[in-house]
Structures are given as structure tokens and as C-alpha cells.
Amino acid sequence: MSVIVELPRTWVASIERRLVTATSQTPSPFTGSAEVQDWGGEWWEYDIEFAAQSGPLARSVSAALTALGSGRGLLLFADPSIEAKTLAQTITLQLAISGGNLLQTQGWPPSLPAVSSGDFISIGTGRDTRLHQVGFDVVANANGQAALTIFPGIRSGLPAGTVVEVNQPKVLLRPTSSVPTRIERAARHRFTMSAREAM
């Protein structure tokens, strides 16, 4: 049985985040032009380096990362590079969606900028958490509604009223291999982890 670990943002020293798409390219041997096959799959991948730790804190970090195993456990990760917001209103889906890259949302301050290009949101909780990046600047209409273009797209049906997390988006990750511990002088522990979005 897998566990979900949630680590403090302050434990992270650096990250590398990338959106991976399931595409393949076949070059023509005659013209050199490429035929691209887009299979529709998209997911986030992360390489995370944790800040050097020592003493009891190092043991706590080690225990949390050990609990993840080599993909058995899941990490609910609040990416520290994503700027936290302080929006007081609850944002929800205005309309149900069965998939795609366009979300109709509501609850924004009327006639004001809702999100900016490059902002992040997440939808769902626990094992259903999915992270999305906003593609374009959006201003809410007079009714507080806004259409967001997001990447990766929605993969499953969501009902109207589903909460959209704007203030502290998270991503659910699964380690792609065991998490190594490098122990240096003065018993300073360093941890690095490669992971992909758990789907």
C-alpha cells in the first residue's frame, strides 16, 4: 500500500521541472521533413535537490524519502518556485468538463485580472491532485467568470463546482527510482530525487 508524503517547501534547495508530451517524430529519408505523431499524453517530471541537513532533521528527511520507496509512495509537492497567492475567494469550475485545455471558471474578483501567463493552478486533492500551467493572461468578466487555457489538459471528467486551487497549487509525484542519500563530512546529508507526475 502506498503512502502520500508531503514535505515542507523549505527543505528544497533546487528543482528542475518539465512538461513531457507523448509525441514521436519520424523524419522522411527523402525530404528530411518530420512527421509528428501526438499521442495526447502529457505529464510533469521533476528533479529535486533537497537542502543539506544534519542531525534529527536529516533523519526526518531521510525517513520521509525512504517511505516513498522506488515508486511505491507518492509525494504531494508544493513547488516552491510557484509563487503563492492570497486570493480570498474560492474559485470553482463554472461548467463541467470532460477533457481538454479550456476551463470555464467562476469566483474571481469582477472585471480584474484573474491569472497571468505562466501562473499555476491545481485541481483535486490527495491522489487526484493535478497541476496545470496557465497559457495566457486572463481578465475576469463583470460576473467574476474567466476562461483559462491550461497545460497539460484535463484528462478526466470534472463536475461544475469543482474547486480550483490558486493560492498554493500542488503536484502529485511518484519517484522514478530510489532516492539516494549522500553523506558528507560533519554528517551532512544531501538528498536528490527524480519523479514524475503520478497518474
Side-chain angles (χ1 to χ4, degrees), residues 92-97 104 106 157-163:
T92 60
L93 293 183
Q94 177 189 355
L95 303 172
I97 184 171
Q104 300 293 339
Q106 61 188 2
L158 297 170
T162 298
V163 174

Side-chain angles (χ1 to χ4, degrees), residues 26 28 68 90 97 101 106 115 119 137 139 146 156 174 177 193:
T26 307
S28 166
L68 295 175
T90 299
I97 184 171
N101 295 85
Q106 61 188 2
V115 291
D119 283 353
D137 294 349
V139 175
S156 59
R174 183 184 304 278
S177 62
M193 180 176 71

